[in-house]
Amino acid sequence: MKEITQGFIEAIRLIFTLDSETVRILLLTLRVTLSALFISSIIGFPLGGWLAFTEFKYKKILMNLIYTLMGLPPVVVGLFIYLFFSREAPFGKLNLLFTPDAMILAQILLASPVIVGLTYLGIKAIDLDVILLARTLGADKSQSIWIVLKEAKLALFGALITAFGSVISEVGAAMLVGGNIQGSTRILTTALILEVRRGNFSLAIALGLILLSLSFIINGLFLWFSKGEE
């Protein structure tokens, strides 16, 4: 209990004194996570919508693959990126490992299947009568798709929130491809792990509270926007 109390006090101190290292870690966390989420949205929403409106021979196999990737362990993603981008690997010349860009790539691979899968399910849950009504009123195919997307907007927000939760909390991939380098690739989750290993539980709890607060604020913003859309 004492350590938890000290953690709260340390979190308040770090926030209100604008500790330079904590601010740097916080800003990098935001940069990595929001960049990955933005790119994943650009990939995931159109792909999920296309899959929902298109029928082809191997669609069931592809959807099974996407559902499998939705539960892919972050450490596995980090391992594959490490193997493909290490110095002697096919993409080693890009020098991507142990940079924020490698961490963004890992989070994109984690978030994109989540957005694709949940977008697909959200659109499929829409009553087909909506499309039939739109067609009856003279809407063409693109207009019908747009109407369905508007009906599924809350599901799309849900996909975004779920993807955000999956990447803001991951640590395995970030450790493997980022290296937890101070001033370069250290984010809140990896910094927390480091402080636990050092036995500095008060600071670890403080970082955990900051991470929870960050998640609470950003999820609150997503929910506020979705409520406005509703």
Side-chain angles (χ1 to χ4, degrees):
M1 190 65 187
K2 182 180 177 181
E3 289 175 342
I4 296 175
T5 303
Q6 289 176 342
F8 273 100
I9 296 172
E10 183 68 10
I12 294 170
R13 185 191 71 80
L14 290 173
I15 292 170
F16 284 95
T17 60
L18 293 177
D19 176 73
S20 59
E21 180 62 17
T22 304
V23 170
R24 187 184 299 113
I25 291 171
L26 179 59
L27 290 177
L28 181 60
T29 302
L30 285 170
R31 174 192 162 191
V32 169
T33 300
L34 296 182
S35 297
L37 199 62
F38 176 73
I39 297 170
S40 298
S41 299
I42 293 174
I43 297 170
F45 287 137
L47 182 55
W50 178 78
L51 287 169
F53 288 110
T54 307
E55 296 296 331
F56 51 92
K57 186 175 182 181
Y58 299 107
K59 181 177 177 179
K60 288 185 178 180
I61 296 175
L62 179 58
M63 291 310 304
N64 188 34
L65 176 62
I66 290 172
Y67 293 146
T68 302
L69 293 176
M70 287 174 68
L72 192 64
V75 69
V76 174
V77 173
L79 175 62
F80 277 104
I81 292 176
Y82 188 91
L83 292 176
F84 277 96
F85 290 91
S86 59
R87 184 165 297 180
E88 302 301 326
F91 304 106
K93 292 182 179 180
L94 296 176
N95 295 320
L96 195 68
L97 280 184
F98 308 124
T99 67
D101 290 339
M103 299 163 71
I104 292 172
L105 176 59
Q107 292 195 2
I108 290 171
L109 294 178
L110 289 168
S112 294
V114 173
I115 294 178
V116 172
L118 294 182
T119 298
Y120 173 84
L121 292 174
I123 293 174
K124 280 295 187 181
I126 298 299
D127 194 337
L128 291 177
D129 289 343
V130 174
I131 300 177
L132 295 175
L133 178 61
R135 292 291 179 89
T136 302
L137 295 174
D140 58 24
K141 184 176 181 180
S142 60
Q143 290 172 327
S144 299
I145 291 173
W146 176 246
I147 290 170
V148 171
L149 290 176
K150 287 183 69 176
E151 288 292 321
K153 58 181 175 290
L154 292 181
L156 302 186
F157 271 110
L160 198 62
I161 291 171
T162 305
F164 171 75
S166 70
V167 295
I168 190 67
S169 60
E170 77 85 18
V171 62
M175 291 285 283
L176 273 175
V177 305
N180 199 22
I181 303 169
Q182 185 175 9
S184 178
T185 60
R186 185 166 295 170
I187 57 176
L188 283 170
T189 50
T190 58
L192 192 155
I193 293 294
L194 177 66
E195 297 305 329
V196 169
R197 288 176 177 173
R198 288 175 172 174
N200 194 352
F201 295 108
S202 296
L203 181 54
I205 292 171
L207 292 171
L209 291 172
I210 293 172
L211 180 62
L212 285 173
S213 300
L214 176 63
S215 298
F216 180 82
I217 291 169
I218 294 181
N219 278 315
L221 289 173
F222 285 151
L223 289 172
W224 181 74
F225 280 117
S226 68
K227 189 64 176 179
E229 289 296 321
E230 184 179 8

